[in-house]
Amino acid sequence: MLSKEQIAQRIAKEVKNGQYINLGIGIPTLVANYIPDELEVVLQSENGLLGIGPFPTEDKIDPDLINAGKQTITMVKGSVLFNSAESFAMIRGGHVHLTILGAMEVSENGDIANWKIPGKMVKGMGGAMDLVASAENIIVAMQHCSRDGASKLLKECSLPITGIKCVKKIVTDLAVLEVSPKGGFVLKERAPGVSVEEIQEKTEGKLIVEGEIPEMVF
Amino acid sequence: MINKTVKDAKEAVADIPSGAFLMMGGFGLSGIPENCISALLEKGIKDLTIVSNNAGVDDFGIGLLLKKKMVKKMISSYVGENAEFERQLLSGELEVDLIPQGTLAERVRAGGAGIPAFFTPAGVGTEVAEGKEIREFDGKLYLMERWLRADFSLVKAWKGDTAGNLIFKGTARNFNPMMAAAGKICIAEVEELVPAGELNPNEIHTPGIYVQRIFEGKNYEKRIEQRTVSQAKS
């Protein structure tokens, strides 16, 4: 099984040189730590910044400089600030190449649910609906099963959905899977020590297994 | 140049009545109109509708207005940091419209720019789309969203001049510029107010035409929600 850091590390391998990327809250934020130095990429924060830098040292904290998770951050050389309407123009306009976000559920046709548990949790969708409706490539980072052991890779989402037919790839603690355009989760890689059978057992939606499934290498 | 200066927050919000439709700038606690929120608290009006991306935290920002039960309805995109908000929402005391963040920003922008409606892909196929017109453009589905305009918009800038021109700092800009334009009366509070002519026209973010009242705020707390740091390199 992969740790959260390893999920982030595996997703970082999907990042390509020259991309503008939006990272969601949680595991996706950790991806920034594993993007190889030789790649030139720009991280977008949807409140209004291109070019997110590392967290500030104690003496450089600025309450007027936060990311979409409201964490204090810094800027990098070449950063630019703008208003939130402009920020979402970049997102909807397809200028942000890659969106990495967390999810509560993903369905076998690429629907994602991550904003609401009726009667229990009402936090709001933030920018997630705009992001999943617009980005050309959407990767989900999540645990394969919920805390009570229920599969999060489903035939159909049971929770209110955030976007339809948008997720391209999912990296969980057990596996890397792609959403087939015809429907179904195509198993691409296994976490070290995890069998195809275990992944099958923990995937409620249709799992497509073709040939030998390689084990991830770290 | 037209002088938009008022003395302080109290004077600026004096004519905001109960039941008013307000917009408040800010993302999280960054770039929120702290002084105006304090002045509204003292006024003790009620039944306010507030458009704001977030709803503050329990003891700061809009959270203070919620605690005093001054708010009838919130129009926001993310309200996760506020337990009192969640309580009032689940108990039905508070009406809430949750809107995708980009849609919220664009609805406010459209309001200020005189565009009554537009189509966006955000929310297609979700409960956000319920009751909305859906149309296909070039093979993709979009839903229609309406503009948002307010009786009063309360914004916070870094610097401003007596003509109402505004400059924002860092990510405290967020929703403030669009809200300035979408309020029938825009009240701008700034950390530093200078005479017209002292700001470089090339660097102004919000033209003073959108701003009706401006004052220099005081005692900015600028509270931080998530204080994240890295270790200094030795």
mmCIF file of all heavy atoms in Angstrom, chain A residues 55-56 58 61-62 64 66 70-72 81 83-85 88 92 116 122-127 130 133 161-162, chain B residues 54 77-79 81 86 89 101-103 120 122 125-127 140 169-171 174 222 226-230:
data_model
loop_
_atom_site.group_PDB
_atom_site.id
_atom_site.type_symbol
_atom_site.label_atom_id
_atom_site.label_comp_id
_atom_site.label_asym_id
_atom_site.label_seq_id
_atom_site.Cartn_x
_atom_site.Cartn_y
_atom_site.Cartn_z
ATOM 1 N N PHE A 55 6.376 27.031 1.059
ATOM 2 C CA PHE A 55 5.913 27.753 2.243
ATOM 3 C C PHE A 55 6.996 28.741 2.669
ATOM 4 O O PHE A 55 8.181 28.488 2.489
ATOM 5 C CB PHE A 55 5.637 26.773 3.400
ATOM 6 C CG PHE A 55 4.487 25.836 3.137
ATOM 7 C CD1 PHE A 55 4.518 24.525 3.593
ATOM 8 C CD2 PHE A 55 3.362 26.261 2.441
ATOM 9 C CE1 PHE A 55 3.458 23.651 3.350
ATOM 10 C CE2 PHE A 55 2.293 25.396 2.206
ATOM 11 C CZ PHE A 55 2.352 24.096 2.663
ATOM 12 N N PRO A 56 6.592 29.880 3.255
ATOM 13 C CA PRO A 56 7.592 30.875 3.658
ATOM 14 C C PRO A 56 8.324 30.460 4.940
ATOM 15 O O PRO A 56 7.793 29.672 5.720
ATOM 16 C CB PRO A 56 6.730 32.110 3.937
ATOM 17 C CG PRO A 56 5.404 31.554 4.352
ATOM 18 C CD PRO A 56 5.220 30.281 3.574
ATOM 19 N N GLU A 58 9.521 31.572 8.659
ATOM 20 C CA GLU A 58 8.767 32.315 9.678
ATOM 21 C C GLU A 58 8.828 33.833 9.451
ATOM 22 O O GLU A 58 7.821 34.526 9.576
ATOM 23 C CB GLU A 58 9.324 31.947 11.059
ATOM 24 C CG GLU A 58 8.456 32.322 12.239
ATOM 25 C CD GLU A 58 7.142 31.533 12.318
ATOM 26 O OE1 GLU A 58 7.156 30.279 12.244
ATOM 27 O OE2 GLU A 58 6.101 32.187 12.442
ATOM 28 N N ILE A 61 6.452 35.331 6.365
ATOM 29 C CA ILE A 61 5.002 35.081 6.303
ATOM 30 C C ILE A 61 4.256 36.367 5.948
ATOM 31 O O ILE A 61 4.518 37.428 6.512
ATOM 32 C CB ILE A 61 4.492 34.534 7.656
ATOM 33 C CG1 ILE A 61 4.890 33.070 7.789
ATOM 34 C CG2 ILE A 61 2.966 34.663 7.761
ATOM 35 C CD1 ILE A 61 4.423 32.428 9.062
ATOM 36 N N ASP A 62 3.348 36.255 4.968
ATOM 37 C CA ASP A 62 2.560 37.411 4.534
ATOM 38 C C ASP A 62 1.086 37.006 4.490
ATOM 39 O O ASP A 62 0.703 36.149 3.690
ATOM 40 C CB ASP A 62 3.048 37.834 3.130
ATOM 41 C CG ASP A 62 2.273 39.019 2.582
ATOM 42 O OD1 ASP A 62 1.309 39.480 3.242
ATOM 43 O OD2 ASP A 62 2.635 39.493 1.488
ATOM 44 N N ASP A 64 -1.278 38.393 3.223
ATOM 45 C CA ASP A 64 -1.848 38.735 1.917
ATOM 46 C C ASP A 64 -1.348 37.811 0.808
ATOM 47 O O ASP A 64 -1.481 38.130 -0.375
ATOM 48 C CB ASP A 64 -1.502 40.186 1.551
ATOM 49 C CG ASP A 64 -2.214 41.188 2.448
ATOM 50 O OD1 ASP A 64 -3.355 40.906 2.863
ATOM 51 O OD2 ASP A 64 -1.637 42.246 2.737
ATOM 52 N N ILE A 66 -1.716 33.830 0.115
ATOM 53 C CA ILE A 66 -2.146 32.485 0.491
ATOM 54 C C ILE A 66 -2.555 31.703 -0.751
ATOM 55 O O ILE A 66 -2.849 32.282 -1.794
ATOM 56 C CB ILE A 66 -3.330 32.521 1.493
ATOM 57 C CG1 ILE A 66 -4.551 33.245 0.897
ATOM 58 C CG2 ILE A 66 -2.907 33.146 2.807
ATOM 59 C CD1 ILE A 66 -5.804 33.142 1.747
ATOM 60 N N LYS A 70 -5.811 28.260 1.692
ATOM 61 C CA LYS A 70 -5.623 29.316 2.706
ATOM 62 C C LYS A 70 -4.325 29.166 3.484
ATOM 63 O O LYS A 70 -4.168 29.682 4.584
ATOM 64 C CB LYS A 70 -6.809 29.372 3.667
ATOM 65 C CG LYS A 70 -8.050 29.936 3.006
ATOM 66 C CD LYS A 70 -9.250 29.083 3.300
ATOM 67 C CE LYS A 70 -10.410 29.463 2.395
ATOM 68 N NZ LYS A 70 -11.426 28.414 2.368
ATOM 69 N N GLN A 71 -3.381 28.415 2.909
ATOM 70 C CA GLN A 71 -2.068 28.276 3.543
ATOM 71 C C GLN A 71 -1.170 29.424 3.106
ATOM 72 O O GLN A 71 -1.226 29.856 1.952
ATOM 73 C CB GLN A 71 -1.414 26.965 3.107
ATOM 74 C CG GLN A 71 -2.169 25.729 3.538
ATOM 75 C CD GLN A 71 -1.578 24.464 2.925
ATOM 76 O OE1 GLN A 71 -1.355 24.397 1.713
ATOM 77 N NE2 GLN A 71 -1.311 23.478 3.753
ATOM 78 N N THR A 72 -0.327 29.887 4.022
ATOM 79 C CA THR A 72 0.640 30.926 3.659
ATOM 80 C C THR A 72 1.667 30.322 2.693
ATOM 81 O O THR A 72 2.128 29.197 2.884
ATOM 82 C CB THR A 72 1.354 31.467 4.914
ATOM 83 O OG1 THR A 72 1.768 30.353 5.724
ATOM 84 C CG2 THR A 72 0.428 32.346 5.725
ATOM 85 N N LEU A 81 0.069 37.934 -10.203
ATOM 86 C CA LEU A 81 -1.153 37.984 -9.391
ATOM 87 C C LEU A 81 -2.297 38.544 -10.221
ATOM 88 O O LEU A 81 -2.080 39.395 -11.088
ATOM 89 C CB LEU A 81 -0.909 38.901 -8.183
ATOM 90 C CG LEU A 81 0.166 38.416 -7.219
ATOM 91 C CD1 LEU A 81 0.773 39.596 -6.468
ATOM 92 C CD2 LEU A 81 -0.402 37.403 -6.248
ATOM 93 N N ASN A 83 -7.078 38.767 -10.369
ATOM 94 C CA ASN A 83 -8.313 38.566 -9.617
ATOM 95 C C ASN A 83 -8.917 37.193 -9.918
ATOM 96 O O ASN A 83 -8.492 36.495 -10.830
ATOM 97 C CB ASN A 83 -9.303 39.710 -9.887
ATOM 98 C CG ASN A 83 -9.836 39.685 -11.306
ATOM 99 O OD1 ASN A 83 -10.327 38.672 -11.787
ATOM 100 N ND2 ASN A 83 -9.733 40.817 -12.000
ATOM 101 N N SER A 84 -9.924 36.817 -9.145
ATOM 102 C CA SER A 84 -10.480 35.465 -9.236
ATOM 103 C C SER A 84 -11.272 35.239 -10.523
ATOM 104 O O SER A 84 -11.382 34.099 -10.983
ATOM 105 C CB SER A 84 -11.370 35.176 -8.023
ATOM 106 O OG SER A 84 -10.626 35.305 -6.837
ATOM 107 N N ALA A 85 -11.835 36.275 -11.128
ATOM 108 C CA ALA A 85 -12.541 36.098 -12.406
ATOM 109 C C ALA A 85 -11.535 35.752 -13.501
ATOM 110 O O ALA A 85 -11.749 34.849 -14.314
ATOM 111 C CB ALA A 85 -13.324 37.354 -12.768
ATOM 112 N N PHE A 88 -10.343 32.098 -13.130
ATOM 113 C CA PHE A 88 -11.234 31.075 -13.676
ATOM 114 C C PHE A 88 -11.404 31.206 -15.183
ATOM 115 O O PHE A 88 -11.809 30.246 -15.838
ATOM 116 C CB PHE A 88 -12.556 31.064 -12.915
ATOM 117 C CG PHE A 88 -12.411 30.365 -11.596
ATOM 118 C CD1 PHE A 88 -12.088 31.074 -10.447
ATOM 119 C CD2 PHE A 88 -12.519 28.986 -11.522
ATOM 120 C CE1 PHE A 88 -11.907 30.420 -9.242
ATOM 121 C CE2 PHE A 88 -12.340 28.329 -10.319
ATOM 122 C CZ PHE A 88 -12.032 29.044 -9.174
ATOM 123 N N ARG A 92 -11.380 27.847 -17.184
ATOM 124 C CA ARG A 92 -12.422 27.456 -18.152
ATOM 125 C C ARG A 92 -11.935 27.570 -19.586
ATOM 126 O O ARG A 92 -12.376 26.838 -20.471
ATOM 127 C CB ARG A 92 -13.679 28.311 -17.960
ATOM 128 C CG ARG A 92 -14.522 27.933 -16.761
ATOM 129 C CD ARG A 92 -15.811 28.740 -16.795
ATOM 130 N NE ARG A 92 -15.517 30.140 -17.013
ATOM 131 C CZ ARG A 92 -15.411 31.049 -16.062
ATOM 132 N NH1 ARG A 92 -15.645 30.729 -14.811
ATOM 133 N NH2 ARG A 92 -15.111 32.293 -16.346
ATOM 134 N N LYS A 116 -19.837 17.109 -1.182
ATOM 135 C CA LYS A 116 -20.983 17.178 -0.282
ATOM 136 C C LYS A 116 -21.386 15.784 0.182
ATOM 137 O O LYS A 116 -21.416 14.842 -0.603
ATOM 138 C CB LYS A 116 -22.144 17.808 -1.044
ATOM 139 C CG LYS A 116 -23.394 18.082 -0.235
ATOM 140 C CD LYS A 116 -24.449 18.684 -1.152
ATOM 141 C CE LYS A 116 -25.684 19.113 -0.388
ATOM 142 N NZ LYS A 116 -26.729 19.597 -1.286
ATOM 143 N N VAL A 122 -21.463 20.003 4.764
ATOM 144 C CA VAL A 122 -21.767 21.008 3.758
ATOM 145 C C VAL A 122 -20.649 22.034 3.779
ATOM 146 O O VAL A 122 -20.621 22.899 4.633
ATOM 147 C CB VAL A 122 -23.096 21.729 4.069
ATOM 148 C CG1 VAL A 122 -23.578 22.468 2.843
ATOM 149 C CG2 VAL A 122 -24.140 20.776 4.565
ATOM 150 N N LYS A 123 -19.720 21.872 2.894
ATOM 151 C CA LYS A 123 -18.615 22.811 2.871
ATOM 152 C C LYS A 123 -18.642 23.656 1.607
ATOM 153 O O LYS A 123 -18.167 24.778 1.577
ATOM 154 C CB LYS A 123 -17.282 22.089 2.975
ATOM 155 C CG LYS A 123 -17.052 21.452 4.344
ATOM 156 C CD LYS A 123 -15.667 20.862 4.443
ATOM 157 C CE LYS A 123 -15.456 20.080 5.727
ATOM 158 N NZ LYS A 123 -15.656 20.894 6.938
ATOM 159 N N GLY A 124 -19.215 23.100 0.568
ATOM 160 C CA GLY A 124 -19.228 23.824 -0.700
ATOM 161 C C GLY A 124 -18.231 23.236 -1.663
ATOM 162 O O GLY A 124 -17.343 22.484 -1.281
ATOM 163 N N MET A 125 -18.399 23.579 -2.920
ATOM 164 C CA MET A 125 -17.566 22.984 -3.969
ATOM 165 C C MET A 125 -16.317 23.802 -4.249
ATOM 166 O O MET A 125 -15.407 23.309 -4.916
ATOM 167 C CB MET A 125 -18.370 22.790 -5.257
ATOM 168 C CG MET A 125 -18.883 24.060 -5.917
ATOM 169 S SD MET A 125 -20.168 24.912 -4.967
ATOM 170 C CE MET A 125 -21.621 24.006 -5.416
ATOM 171 N N GLY A 126 -16.240 25.036 -3.748
ATOM 172 C CA GLY A 126 -15.093 25.867 -4.094
ATOM 173 C C GLY A 126 -14.918 25.907 -5.596
ATOM 174 O O GLY A 126 -15.903 26.012 -6.338
ATOM 175 N N GLY A 127 -13.677 25.747 -6.064
ATOM 176 C CA GLY A 127 -13.412 25.818 -7.500
ATOM 177 C C GLY A 127 -13.471 24.470 -8.212
ATOM 178 O O GLY A 127 -13.217 24.393 -9.410
ATOM 179 N N ASP A 130 -15.664 24.046 -11.488
ATOM 180 C CA ASP A 130 -15.101 24.773 -12.641
ATOM 181 C C ASP A 130 -13.897 24.009 -13.190
ATOM 182 O O ASP A 130 -13.727 23.871 -14.398
ATOM 183 C CB ASP A 130 -14.654 26.178 -12.217
ATOM 184 C CG ASP A 130 -15.727 26.918 -11.444
ATOM 185 O OD1 ASP A 130 -16.538 27.604 -12.070
ATOM 186 O OD2 ASP A 130 -15.763 26.799 -10.204
ATOM 187 N N ALA A 133 -14.809 20.667 -14.971
ATOM 188 C CA ALA A 133 -15.572 20.882 -16.204
ATOM 189 C C ALA A 133 -14.682 21.393 -17.334
ATOM 190 O O ALA A 133 -15.118 21.474 -18.474
ATOM 191 C CB ALA A 133 -16.709 21.867 -15.955
ATOM 192 N N ILE A 161 -22.649 14.616 -7.338
ATOM 193 C CA ILE A 161 -21.422 14.676 -8.120
ATOM 194 C C ILE A 161 -20.931 16.106 -8.355
ATOM 195 O O ILE A 161 -21.669 17.074 -8.246
ATOM 196 C CB ILE A 161 -21.541 13.923 -9.468
ATOM 197 C CG1 ILE A 161 -22.621 14.546 -10.336
ATOM 198 C CG2 ILE A 161 -21.777 12.461 -9.266
ATOM 199 C CD1 ILE A 161 -22.616 13.940 -11.722
ATOM 200 N N THR A 162 -19.656 16.182 -8.654
ATOM 201 C CA THR A 162 -18.970 17.454 -8.877
ATOM 202 C C THR A 162 -18.845 17.714 -10.374
ATOM 203 O O THR A 162 -18.859 18.861 -10.823
ATOM 204 C CB THR A 162 -17.572 17.406 -8.235
ATOM 205 O OG1 THR A 162 -17.711 16.961 -6.884
ATOM 206 C CG2 THR A 162 -16.898 18.762 -8.266
ATOM 207 N N ASN B 54 -16.300 33.049 0.921
ATOM 208 C CA ASN B 54 -16.304 32.262 2.147
ATOM 209 C C ASN B 54 -17.123 32.989 3.206
ATOM 210 O O ASN B 54 -17.609 34.084 2.966
ATOM 211 C CB ASN B 54 -14.874 32.043 2.656
ATOM 212 C CG ASN B 54 -13.942 31.564 1.569
ATOM 213 O OD1 ASN B 54 -13.312 32.371 0.898
ATOM 214 N ND2 ASN B 54 -13.879 30.275 1.376
ATOM 215 N N SER B 77 -19.029 30.054 -2.179
ATOM 216 C CA SER B 77 -18.590 28.824 -2.842
ATOM 217 C C SER B 77 -18.024 27.810 -1.854
ATOM 218 O O SER B 77 -18.095 26.609 -2.077
ATOM 219 C CB SER B 77 -17.567 29.116 -3.946
ATOM 220 O OG SER B 77 -16.250 29.099 -3.456
ATOM 221 N N TYR B 78 -17.453 28.282 -0.752
ATOM 222 C CA TYR B 78 -16.845 27.348 0.191
ATOM 223 C C TYR B 78 -16.945 27.909 1.602
ATOM 224 O O TYR B 78 -16.491 29.015 1.868
ATOM 225 C CB TYR B 78 -15.384 27.083 -0.170
ATOM 226 C CG TYR B 78 -14.783 25.954 0.625
ATOM 227 C CD1 TYR B 78 -14.967 24.632 0.223
ATOM 228 C CD2 TYR B 78 -14.067 26.198 1.787
ATOM 229 C CE1 TYR B 78 -14.442 23.582 0.967
ATOM 230 C CE2 TYR B 78 -13.539 25.147 2.536
ATOM 231 C CZ TYR B 78 -13.727 23.854 2.111
ATOM 232 O OH TYR B 78 -13.215 22.809 2.846
ATOM 233 N N VAL B 79 -17.537 27.122 2.490
ATOM 234 C CA VAL B 79 -17.826 27.646 3.828
ATOM 235 C C VAL B 79 -17.299 26.713 4.908
ATOM 236 O O VAL B 79 -17.785 26.709 6.029
ATOM 237 C CB VAL B 79 -19.350 27.833 3.995
ATOM 238 C CG1 VAL B 79 -19.837 28.924 3.074
ATOM 239 C CG2 VAL B 79 -20.097 26.539 3.704
ATOM 240 N N GLU B 81 -14.874 26.436 6.933
ATOM 241 C CA GLU B 81 -14.087 26.754 8.135
ATOM 242 C C GLU B 81 -14.920 27.310 9.281
ATOM 243 O O GLU B 81 -14.406 27.915 10.199
ATOM 244 C CB GLU B 81 -13.015 27.781 7.778
ATOM 245 C CG GLU B 81 -11.686 27.194 7.397
ATOM 246 C CD GLU B 81 -11.717 26.339 6.156
ATOM 247 O OE1 GLU B 81 -12.008 26.851 5.059
ATOM 248 O OE2 GLU B 81 -11.456 25.138 6.275
ATOM 249 N N GLU B 86 -22.202 26.148 9.714
ATOM 250 C CA GLU B 86 -22.694 24.805 9.415
ATOM 251 C C GLU B 86 -23.903 24.469 10.296
ATOM 252 O O GLU B 86 -24.876 23.888 9.833
ATOM 253 C CB GLU B 86 -21.566 23.781 9.603
ATOM 254 C CG GLU B 86 -21.771 22.526 8.777
ATOM 255 C CD GLU B 86 -20.472 21.762 8.525
ATOM 256 O OE1 GLU B 86 -19.398 22.215 8.953
ATOM 257 O OE2 GLU B 86 -20.553 20.680 7.905
ATOM 258 N N LEU B 89 -26.905 26.404 9.079
ATOM 259 C CA LEU B 89 -27.346 25.874 7.784
ATOM 260 C C LEU B 89 -28.123 24.570 7.964
ATOM 261 O O LEU B 89 -29.222 24.404 7.455
ATOM 262 C CB LEU B 89 -26.121 25.644 6.884
ATOM 263 C CG LEU B 89 -26.373 24.906 5.572
ATOM 264 C CD1 LEU B 89 -27.382 25.659 4.711
ATOM 265 C CD2 LEU B 89 -25.080 24.750 4.798
ATOM 266 N N GLN B 101 -16.936 28.316 -7.580
ATOM 267 C CA GLN B 101 -16.160 29.547 -7.352
ATOM 268 C C GLN B 101 -15.971 30.393 -8.618
ATOM 269 O O GLN B 101 -16.093 31.617 -8.581
ATOM 270 C CB GLN B 101 -14.800 29.163 -6.781
ATOM 271 C CG GLN B 101 -14.054 30.318 -6.161
ATOM 272 C CD GLN B 101 -12.743 29.849 -5.567
ATOM 273 O OE1 GLN B 101 -12.644 28.722 -5.093
ATOM 274 N NE2 GLN B 101 -11.748 30.692 -5.589
ATOM 275 N N GLY B 102 -15.695 29.721 -9.722
ATOM 276 C CA GLY B 102 -15.510 30.462 -10.972
ATOM 277 C C GLY B 102 -16.814 31.079 -11.453
ATOM 278 O O GLY B 102 -16.826 32.168 -12.029
ATOM 279 N N THR B 103 -17.908 30.357 -11.216
ATOM 280 C CA THR B 103 -19.224 30.885 -11.582
ATOM 281 C C THR B 103 -19.548 32.097 -10.717
ATOM 282 O O THR B 103 -20.065 33.106 -11.208
ATOM 283 C CB THR B 103 -20.297 29.783 -11.411
ATOM 284 O OG1 THR B 103 -19.988 28.710 -12.303
ATOM 285 C CG2 THR B 103 -21.687 30.319 -11.714
ATOM 286 N N THR B 120 -21.665 28.564 -18.848
ATOM 287 C CA THR B 120 -20.432 27.988 -18.315
ATOM 288 C C THR B 120 -20.570 26.467 -18.236
ATOM 289 O O THR B 120 -21.683 25.961 -18.039
ATOM 290 C CB THR B 120 -20.107 28.561 -16.912
ATOM 291 O OG1 THR B 120 -18.977 27.856 -16.371
ATOM 292 C CG2 THR B 120 -21.275 28.383 -15.945
ATOM 293 N N ALA B 122 -19.273 24.714 -15.853
ATOM 294 C CA ALA B 122 -19.156 24.302 -14.450
ATOM 295 C C ALA B 122 -20.524 23.912 -13.893
ATOM 296 O O ALA B 122 -21.456 24.711 -13.914
ATOM 297 C CB ALA B 122 -18.549 25.419 -13.618
ATOM 298 N N GLY B 125 -24.620 18.555 -15.214
ATOM 299 C CA GLY B 125 -24.794 17.188 -14.733
ATOM 300 C C GLY B 125 -24.832 17.070 -13.220
ATOM 301 O O GLY B 125 -24.953 15.978 -12.682
ATOM 302 N N THR B 126 -24.725 18.196 -12.504
ATOM 303 C CA THR B 126 -24.737 18.164 -11.042
ATOM 304 C C THR B 126 -25.989 18.880 -10.534
ATOM 305 O O THR B 126 -26.753 19.447 -11.316
ATOM 306 C CB THR B 126 -23.514 18.899 -10.450
ATOM 307 O OG1 THR B 126 -23.707 20.321 -10.572
ATOM 308 C CG2 THR B 126 -22.230 18.529 -11.194
ATOM 309 N N GLU B 127 -26.157 18.928 -9.218
ATOM 310 C CA GLU B 127 -27.355 19.590 -8.691
ATOM 311 C C GLU B 127 -27.317 21.105 -8.904
ATOM 312 O O GLU B 127 -28.361 21.758 -8.836
ATOM 313 C CB GLU B 127 -27.590 19.234 -7.222
ATOM 314 C CG GLU B 127 -26.499 19.601 -6.259
ATOM 315 C CD GLU B 127 -26.812 19.100 -4.842
ATOM 316 O OE1 GLU B 127 -26.944 17.875 -4.643
ATOM 317 O OE2 GLU B 127 -26.913 19.940 -3.949
ATOM 318 N N LYS B 140 -20.320 20.564 -26.724
ATOM 319 C CA LYS B 140 -20.172 20.448 -25.271
ATOM 320 C C LYS B 140 -21.352 21.150 -24.592
ATOM 321 O O LYS B 140 -21.864 22.149 -25.105
ATOM 322 C CB LYS B 140 -18.839 21.090 -24.848
ATOM 323 C CG LYS B 140 -18.520 20.933 -23.371
ATOM 324 C CD LYS B 140 -17.092 21.343 -23.037
ATOM 325 C CE LYS B 140 -16.914 21.440 -21.534
ATOM 326 N NZ LYS B 140 -15.540 21.621 -21.109
ATOM 327 N N LYS B 169 -2.952 44.053 -2.973
ATOM 328 C CA LYS B 169 -1.656 43.426 -2.712
ATOM 329 C C LYS B 169 -1.813 41.905 -2.638
ATOM 330 O O LYS B 169 -2.732 41.406 -2.001
ATOM 331 C CB LYS B 169 -1.101 43.944 -1.390
ATOM 332 C CG LYS B 169 0.209 43.331 -0.955
ATOM 333 C CD LYS B 169 0.837 44.137 0.169
ATOM 334 C CE LYS B 169 1.895 43.330 0.893
ATOM 335 N NZ LYS B 169 1.364 42.503 1.979
ATOM 336 N N GLY B 170 -0.894 41.205 -3.301
ATOM 337 C CA GLY B 170 -0.851 39.744 -3.229
ATOM 338 C C GLY B 170 -2.167 39.113 -3.632
ATOM 339 O O GLY B 170 -2.892 39.592 -4.507
ATOM 340 N N THR B 171 -2.502 38.010 -2.954
ATOM 341 C CA THR B 171 -3.753 37.309 -3.262
ATOM 342 C C THR B 171 -4.930 37.913 -2.503
ATOM 343 O O THR B 171 -6.017 37.345 -2.497
ATOM 344 C CB THR B 171 -3.640 35.809 -2.929
ATOM 345 O OG1 THR B 171 -3.159 35.677 -1.599
ATOM 346 C CG2 THR B 171 -2.675 35.110 -3.876
ATOM 347 N N ASN B 174 -8.274 38.915 -5.089
ATOM 348 C CA ASN B 174 -9.362 37.925 -5.275
ATOM 349 C C ASN B 174 -10.660 38.493 -5.860
ATOM 350 O O ASN B 174 -10.699 38.872 -7.013
ATOM 351 C CB ASN B 174 -9.567 37.105 -3.988
ATOM 352 C CG ASN B 174 -9.792 37.927 -2.735
ATOM 353 O OD1 ASN B 174 -10.778 38.631 -2.620
ATOM 354 N ND2 ASN B 174 -8.859 37.825 -1.792
ATOM 355 N N LYS B 222 -5.617 41.131 9.890
ATOM 356 C CA LYS B 222 -5.146 40.203 8.857
ATOM 357 C C LYS B 222 -4.837 38.829 9.431
ATOM 358 O O LYS B 222 -3.709 38.333 9.335
ATOM 359 C CB LYS B 222 -3.891 40.757 8.165
ATOM 360 C CG LYS B 222 -4.126 42.023 7.383
ATOM 361 C CD LYS B 222 -2.969 42.249 6.442
ATOM 362 C CE LYS B 222 -3.088 43.547 5.690
ATOM 363 N NZ LYS B 222 -2.003 43.733 4.737
ATOM 364 N N GLN B 226 -4.281 29.305 7.909
ATOM 365 C CA GLN B 226 -3.388 28.142 7.873
ATOM 366 C C GLN B 226 -1.953 28.650 7.815
ATOM 367 O O GLN B 226 -1.471 29.003 6.756
ATOM 368 C CB GLN B 226 -3.668 27.283 6.635
ATOM 369 C CG GLN B 226 -5.103 26.830 6.481
ATOM 370 C CD GLN B 226 -5.459 25.700 7.427
ATOM 371 O OE1 GLN B 226 -4.583 25.018 7.953
ATOM 372 N NE2 GLN B 226 -6.739 25.518 7.665
ATOM 373 N N ARG B 227 -1.326 28.683 8.979
ATOM 374 C CA ARG B 227 0.036 29.204 9.047
ATOM 375 C C ARG B 227 1.003 28.082 8.683
ATOM 376 O O ARG B 227 1.292 27.205 9.492
ATOM 377 C CB ARG B 227 0.279 29.692 10.477
ATOM 378 C CG ARG B 227 1.499 30.536 10.642
ATOM 379 C CD ARG B 227 1.653 30.936 12.107
ATOM 380 N NE ARG B 227 2.696 31.919 12.219
ATOM 381 C CZ ARG B 227 2.495 33.213 12.096
ATOM 382 N NH1 ARG B 227 1.285 33.673 11.887
ATOM 383 N NH2 ARG B 227 3.499 34.057 12.157
ATOM 384 N N THR B 228 1.460 28.060 7.445
ATOM 385 C CA THR B 228 2.375 27.009 7.010
ATOM 386 C C THR B 228 3.737 27.630 6.748
ATOM 387 O O THR B 228 3.847 28.657 6.080
ATOM 388 C CB THR B 228 1.855 26.340 5.723
ATOM 389 O OG1 THR B 228 1.377 27.360 4.834
ATOM 390 C CG2 THR B 228 0.702 25.408 6.016
ATOM 391 N N VAL B 229 4.782 27.012 7.287
ATOM 392 C CA VAL B 229 6.139 27.562 7.138
ATOM 393 C C VAL B 229 7.112 26.480 6.698
ATOM 394 O O VAL B 229 6.860 25.292 6.875
ATOM 395 C CB VAL B 229 6.667 28.172 8.469
ATOM 396 C CG1 VAL B 229 5.850 29.376 8.871
ATOM 397 C CG2 VAL B 229 6.656 27.136 9.583
ATOM 398 N N SER B 230 8.218 26.913 6.087
ATOM 399 C CA SER B 230 9.322 25.981 5.874
ATOM 400 C C SER B 230 10.450 26.395 6.796
ATOM 401 O O SER B 230 10.520 27.541 7.239
ATOM 402 C CB SER B 230 9.795 25.957 4.417
ATOM 403 O OG SER B 230 9.309 27.015 3.669
#
